[in-house]
Amino acid sequence: LYLFNMFLNKPIIHSLGIILALLVTLSIGANPNDAASVPSLCLAVDISFTELPRRFEPSDAVYDSVSKTLWVVSDTSILAKITDDGIKAWLIPGFFDIEGVTIVPDRPEFVYMQVEDPAMILEFNATSAYVSRVITLSQANNLEAVTYIPSDYSGHGFFLSGKQKNGLVNVYSMSWETGAARLLEQFYLPQNPGDLSAMLYKNDSSVNMERLYTAFDRNQTLIEYSRVFGEGSHAWKITRSWDLPERGVEGIALNEEYNSFYACIDPPKKKGSKALKKYALDHFDACFLSNKFVQQSASPASPV
């Protein structure tokens, strides 16, 4: 515990027993759902990380609209839960390079964290604070992005795991009954500029469409891929694209209820500070929409 105290540089409330993760309860400097106005329409609100460990490096985020929770992971093996009540942070044993996080709608007590190498997904029980399952991902390395697509079939769903270098996406069919993830297919995101850093799935049921939002760090680009609900991976096509205002966008999250787009910032060395930033969603298009990738290509996704 002495070494853990040095790592966090914070007082610790701890418990022993079967709990496999160490829980730190902290106060929050800013509420992620705070309705405070954005200083300028195109500027972001910087959500304070002063109450988190100094080595917290945000690598991805996901918002749970049911529990009104923003989950944020650090590639230094830390998971943070941000709510109106404050922050709780867990140091995940094993010091994993965690690069992605997602949730499964019908499994609300769990959070799913993707490790870059070795390729795996850690199922974390946020109620009891321990890693309850390790999901091995086959034929994968250099994984940087993850999201989850629910299925109409009971007990199943799909993890989409994206490779940083070339935008290759592995689709894993997940059986919660057996706990196994089977590689179903692989495809390349069309017209992607490489350096994939984040993915976010959205079911746009009002228009019978599915959306896949993807961030590409080096090119400072956010791309929206769309397909008719239920179509295969080959059907993803670019429908919109935005020019992001800075380098280092490692993760993205969407909170439509509170008009917020979150970006996890981990910039290149000596070119800025690590941060979690919130943009006003209703001004995002006016500020950053470029559609330059829409104009370049309308080709669909290509299978491997």
Side-chain angles (χ1 to χ4, degrees):
L1 285 180
Y2 174 73
L3 292 177
F4 183 58
N5 270 290
M6 291 183 63
F7 175 80
L8 286 181
N9 196 29
K10 294 285 178 183
I12 295 177
I13 300 174
H14 65 276
S15 60
L16 301 176
I18 63 170
I19 296 179
L20 301 179
L22 297 172
L23 167 64
V24 184
T25 303
L26 304 159
S27 62
I28 182 171
N31 176 6
N33 297 330
D34 192 349
S37 60
V38 179
S40 175
L41 297 182
C42 297
L43 295 181
V45 172
D46 193 347
I47 296 178
S48 174
F49 271 167
T50 58
E51 300 300 330
L52 279 172
R54 289 185 302 170
R55 290 184 58 188
F56 193 88
E57 301 177 359
S59 54
D60 198 13
V62 65
Y63 184 76
D64 183 355
S65 60
V66 176
S67 63
K68 301 187 186 304
T69 300
L70 182 66
W71 296 99
V72 188
V73 290
S74 167
D75 57 15
T76 53
S77 203
I78 302 172
L79 169 67
K81 174 185 179 182
I82 305 178
T83 66
D84 290 348
D85 297 327
I87 289 181
K88 289 182 180 179
W90 293 266
L91 176 63
I92 307 301
F95 293 95
F96 296 105
D97 182 3
I98 301 173
E99 295 291 346
V101 64
T102 190
I103 56 174
V104 176
D106 56 356
R107 297 175 65 83
E109 67 272 34
F110 300 104
V111 182
Y112 295 87
M113 301 171 287
Q114 181 171 267
V115 177
E116 181 174 5
D117 190 25
M120 67 178 77
I121 291 176
L122 306 177
E123 179 188 75
F124 184 79
N125 188 317
T127 302
S128 302
Y130 71 102
V131 175
S132 51
R133 178 157 32 191
V134 176
I135 303 168
T136 302
L137 303 178
S138 61
Q139 298 185 40
N141 56 53
N142 190 225
L143 296 179
E144 190 75 12
V146 68
T147 193
Y148 183 80
I149 300 181
S151 172
D152 292 336
Y153 299 100
S154 177
H156 295 269
F158 305 96
F159 281 113
L160 270 60
S161 296
K163 191 171 183 177
Q164 181 177 20
K165 182 178 180 180
N166 55 10
L168 176 67
V169 176
N170 287 358
V171 181
Y172 295 96
S173 176
M174 184 66 200
S175 171
W176 298 111
E177 298 170 350
T178 65
R182 179 174 62 89
L183 181 61
L184 191 64
E185 61 178 323
Q186 297 176 301
F187 70 94
Y188 287 100
L189 292 166
Q191 200 62 28
N192 81 81
D195 201 17
L196 173 66
S197 57
M199 293 191 299
L200 174 64
Y201 170 81
K202 176 187 174 183
N203 183 352
D204 199 350
S205 58
S206 62
V207 291
N208 195 38
M209 297 292 291
E210 295 177 284
R211 315 290 187 189
L212 186 62
Y213 297 96
T214 57
F216 299 91
D217 181 10
R218 187 175 295 110
N219 285 73
Q220 296 182 215
T221 299
L222 177 69
I223 294 179
E224 176 193 76
Y225 296 95
S226 301
R227 68 182 182 185
V228 174
F229 184 80
E231 288 188 325
S233 297
H234 67 280
W236 290 115
K237 294 182 180 180
I238 298 176
T239 46
R240 289 189 293 175
S241 66
W242 298 261
D243 292 333
L244 296 173
E246 60 185 312
R247 279 285 310 274
V249 175
E250 293 290 314
I252 56 176
L254 190 63
N255 179 357
E256 294 176 301
E257 181 181 359
Y258 289 95
N259 187 40
S260 301
F261 176 87
Y262 299 102
C264 297
I265 309 298
D266 188 3
K269 293 181 180 179
K270 300 181 180 180
K271 291 188 178 181
S273 58
K274 306 176 192 303
L276 174 64
K277 296 188 176 182
K278 181 179 72 172
Y279 292 88
L281 193 58
D282 56 356
H283 297 296
F284 202 80
D285 282 1
C287 295
F288 308 118
L289 186 68
S290 67
N291 280 339
K292 64 183 181 183
F293 281 86
V294 180
Q295 298 164 9
Q296 288 179 12
S297 174
S299 59
S302 57
V304 174

